[in-house]
Amino acid sequence: MSRTLVLQQQPKDKMWMPALHWQWAHQAHTYLEDIRPGLSRALIHGVVAGATTVYVGSRLYRRYQARRRIEERGNQARQACEKLRQKLRNYADLQKEEMIVNLSIQALQKQLQSGELKAVEVLIAFQRKEQAQQLDLLPPEKRGPLHGIPVSIKESISLKGYDCTGGLQALAFQKMERDAEIVQVLKNLGAVPFMRTNFPQGLMTFACSNPIYGQTLHPLDSKRGPGGSSGGEGALIGGGGSIIGIGSDIGGSIRIPSCVCGVYGLKPTAGRIGSKGHYAVGSGQTLVKLSVGPMARDMGGLVLATKAVLSQEHCKLSPLLPPVPFRNEIFEKKNPMRIGFYTKIDGLQSHPGGVRALYQAKAALESRGHTVIEFQPPLNLSAFFELYVSAVFGDDGKEVRKYLKVLDWWHLADKIQAYKDEFLEAWKSKELDAVIGPVTLFPAVTCGKEEFFFVSLVATTLYNLLDYPAGSLPVTAVTEEDIVKVNDSTSYPLTGLFEKAVKRDSAGTVGLPIGIQCIGLPYQEEVVLRLMQELDAALQSM
């Protein structure tokens, strides 16, 4: 029996009661009258009222317990952050620490005796030195390609000894017994996971807040969000707090934060990088699969991280992954590419700054000898709602097998495959090597307004549905001229609710980053990265 609380049509004197309990109370009332015809009506009502009190009280208590767990876990996280800030404030003088560890024993003893140095300062200086030396003592031939590089990790990716909450109180305080596959790979490569980053509750929106950790803000505008669901990574890297991070993407969750925060990100083909140990998004749903991928401050960092992770060691650690290490021979090709180009999706208008960014990218690629042609892919709102949304959100919070009949699920799978065939035929008919297009259709959104932009997810989600690799890179920033065009119906027609929402939210966006995405065929991450790197270099030189 469902435990969802909804109000049904009930007698007027019982309208306050949850439908489930009213039904139970009515059955109990009838039962008591059946077994004890002589029982007084007042006593029967008393029993039912008592049961009602117990039921409602128990539900209120469970809600109280849930809120308390959320507050307790959130406070724990905030206290840990404050402790780290205090430690960094108190011991950020690295020159002093370097001086301490290089003192002779006599000089060290003298300064400790005089009080010039505190014992805790000396202890911390030597602890830091010892920790760093564990890596530095490794001989060069045993150092991994990410040796000593700090890497931030999205909180939905398991880290041994820490909980992996998904923003849900029910998962708080459940410490993971092992690292996720990607974390194991990073550690084997010499990287140092040093920080965990925020995301929206359940990871199924491009907002970035949850009841446990709160709201993450855009690094350039505290009134706006960093995108999601890997928004914590986007904000941290965009704000200079990390050089490389690991996010995940089932609908744009790497590309959207990368785009709006002005950083670089890659959504690989699902399964090219292991996702085992990630919070279970849509457990039981396999038609649209999650991808784990890198995000970085610059293009060089994205290439380095991807090359390192797509290693033979990763394939050995995860034997179910396709044994396809990074293919440098594809990445380093110099032949001219044939690239598709589009600015609209099924009538949805891209922000004027986004259109400008795409034409700027087109010109940059053509300056490098590549051919860029107009390509209108079969990306449409029908595919978004009927295929992607049906597959990913079709369970309405329950496991898919409990919501859809098996036959319905098979029909949906058939439709998705037909759409994949249609898209691939359109791609092949133009003889394309890759495609460039918009990521978000707008810059960073004001916190709390994300729901008005939901439909624009068509720009990213359909590449998850298709399972094509796609990367986002920054191209330009919003200008005053872009704002003028947004407010001019001749250059930016207000054809729907989405365009009207973009217009309302455009004030104050000057200077915010705008990016584009580069798309390749499945398992062609090397082509995507090559295109991104060449485009980035061309833009830098223009």
Side-chain angles (χ1 to χ4, degrees):
M1 181 182 292
S2 172
R3 299 180 64 182
T4 304
L5 295 179
V6 293
L7 289 178
Q8 294 180 346
Q9 189 66 35
Q10 302 163 15
K12 290 183 179 179
D13 61 338
K14 298 183 177 67
M15 280 297 291
W16 62 274
M17 298 175 70
L20 170 65
H21 181 65
W22 177 81
Q23 184 181 17
W24 177 87
H26 177 71
Q27 291 172 349
H29 187 283
T30 304
Y31 173 72
L32 286 172
E33 285 191 325
D34 287 345
I35 64 172
R36 296 293 299 273
L39 205 60
S40 72
R41 185 169 294 276
L43 182 57
I44 293 173
H45 287 173
V47 171
V48 173
T52 299
T53 301
V54 171
Y55 175 82
V56 173
S58 66
R59 288 197 64 84
L60 290 175
Y61 179 71
R62 285 197 294 272
R63 290 182 184 178
Y64 163 74
Q65 290 283 72
R67 286 197 299 270
R68 195 180 73 171
R69 281 173 64 84
I70 288 172
E71 290 174 4
E72 185 179 352
R73 185 62 184 87
N75 288 336
Q76 185 185 82
R78 285 185 283 275
Q79 288 169 7
C81 288
E82 183 54 38
K83 190 178 293 184
L84 176 61
R85 290 191 196 99
Q86 191 65 37
K87 185 180 288 188
L88 292 174
R89 280 197 294 268
N90 292 340
Y91 303 106
D93 190 346
L94 298 180
Q95 289 183 334
K96 185 174 183 180
E97 289 190 2
E98 190 65 23
M99 178 272 292
I100 290 173
V101 297
N102 288 319
L103 286 173
S104 66
I105 183 63
Q106 293 85 1
L108 184 62
Q109 181 190 39
K110 181 180 178 181
Q111 293 190 35
L112 283 168
Q113 293 289 334
S114 67
E116 187 177 346
L117 285 178
K118 293 182 172 59
V120 68
E121 290 180 310
V122 175
L123 178 61
I124 288 175
F126 277 92
Q127 283 178 333
R128 290 182 194 269
K129 187 78 172 180
E130 190 275 334
Q131 290 170 357
Q133 281 181 336
Q134 294 299 312
L135 291 172
D136 293 339
L137 287 174
L138 283 172
E141 64 273 12
K142 291 190 176 181
R143 295 181 181 183
L146 300 181
H147 174 80
I149 295 176
V151 178
S152 48
I153 307 288
K154 188 176 181 180
E155 195 261 24
S156 56
I157 297 171
S158 299
L159 201 60
K160 184 178 179 180
Y162 295 86
D163 54 6
C164 180
T165 67
L168 304 170
Q169 63 85 17
L171 300 179
F173 304 108
Q174 298 182 23
K175 294 183 178 180
M176 298 293 104
E177 296 182 357
R178 60 178 61 86
D179 291 328
E181 277 183 356
I182 183 62
V183 176
Q184 294 178 49
V185 171
L186 289 168
K187 288 181 176 180
N188 291 345
L189 295 170
V192 183
F194 80 108
M195 187 173 291
R196 306 175 80 206
T197 54
N198 204 17
F199 51 87
Q201 187 178 46
L203 284 75
M204 299 303 288
T205 173
F206 62 89
C208 193
S209 67
N210 62 71
I212 294 177
Y213 301 115
Q215 174 76 55
T216 298
L217 304 175
H218 193 280
L220 300 179
D221 186 342
S222 60
K223 295 179 181 178
R224 298 176 182 273
S229 64
S230 305
E233 284 298 326
L236 183 67
I237 297 170
S242 178
I243 192 167
I244 291 176
I246 300 296
S248 59
D249 191 315
I250 197 173
S253 297
I254 287 174
R255 290 160 288 159
I256 293 173
S258 296
C259 177
V260 302
C261 292
V263 303
Y264 300 72
L266 175 68
K267 178 207 82 69
T269 310
R272 185 88 195 262
I273 295 176
S275 61
K276 187 176 181 180
H278 188 283
Y279 164 80
V281 178
S283 178
Q285 183 280 114
T286 58
L287 296 180
V288 181
K289 295 182 180 179
L290 176 101
S291 296
V292 170
M295 299 169 68
R297 185 175 65 189
D298 53 41
M299 191 63 218
L302 190 70
V303 172
L304 174 65
T306 309
K307 278 187 174 184
V309 169
L310 291 179
S311 62
Q312 194 65 51
E313 288 70 25
H314 190 178
C315 298
K316 290 178 181 177
L317 179 67
S318 310
L320 296 181
L321 298 183
V324 186
F326 191 87
R327 295 162 295 183
N328 217 48
E329 67 277 11
I330 296 176
F331 175 68
E332 293 183 349
K333 279 186 176 180
K334 302 299 181 184
N335 62 300
M337 289 191 285
R338 186 174 171 86
I339 301 160
F341 161 87
Y342 65 95
T343 62
K344 291 183 180 181
I345 301 174
D346 201 15
L348 283 180
Q349 305 285 330
S350 187
H351 185 277
V355 175
R356 180 170 53 82
L358 282 160
Y359 276 101
Q360 194 173 333
K362 179 177 182 290
L365 289 168
E366 288 172 338
S367 72
R368 291 292 180 108
H370 301 295
T371 300
V372 184
I373 64 170
E374 189 171 326
F375 172 59
Q376 194 53 53
L379 297 171
N380 53 65
L381 293 177
S382 176
F384 173 59
F385 285 109
E386 294 180 15
L387 302 182
Y388 178 84
V389 173
S390 295
V392 176
F393 297 100
D395 61 352
D396 194 28
K398 303 177 181 69
E399 293 179 24
V400 173
R401 63 180 178 270
K402 296 178 182 177
Y403 183 83
L404 290 174
K405 297 177 182 177
V406 173
L407 190 58
D408 293 336
W409 194 245
W410 287 351
H411 286 164
L412 179 59
D414 286 341
K415 290 178 181 178
I416 290 174
Q417 186 57 53
Y419 178 69
K420 289 182 176 182
D421 294 342
E422 177 190 0
F423 195 99
L424 182 58
E425 284 303 313
W427 183 294
K428 290 165 64 177
S429 70
K430 296 285 187 177
E431 299 180 336
L432 300 176
D433 295 302
V435 169
I436 60 173
V439 180
T440 61
L441 307 180
F442 52 83
V445 175
T446 301
C447 292
K449 303 293 185 183
E450 293 87 359
E451 62 186 282
F452 299 106
F453 298 83
F454 175 75
V455 68
S456 68
L457 288 174
V458 64
T460 53
T461 54
L462 292 182
Y463 291 114
N464 296 89
L465 182 73
L466 293 163
D467 201 14
Y468 284 18
S472 173
L473 76 160
V475 173
T476 185
V478 180
T479 65
E480 293 284 0
E481 185 180 354
D482 294 329
I483 304 303
V484 171
K485 288 183 177 180
V486 168
N487 291 288
D488 180 359
S489 59
T490 59
S491 58
Y492 189 71
L494 300 181
T495 54
L497 295 175
F498 168 71
E499 287 80 11
K500 292 175 182 177
V502 171
K503 180 180 179 179
R504 287 195 303 269
D505 205 51
S506 63
T509 58
V510 172
L512 293 182
I514 296 178
I516 68 167
Q517 62 178 331
C518 300
I519 305 104
L521 292 172
Y523 297 100
Q524 293 295 316
E525 283 76 12
E526 295 85 353
V527 173
V528 172
L529 287 174
R530 177 197 166 188
L531 176 59
M532 291 175 70
Q533 181 168 267
E534 290 200 30
L535 175 54
D536 190 58
L539 290 168
Q540 300 292 340
S541 63
M542 288 180 70

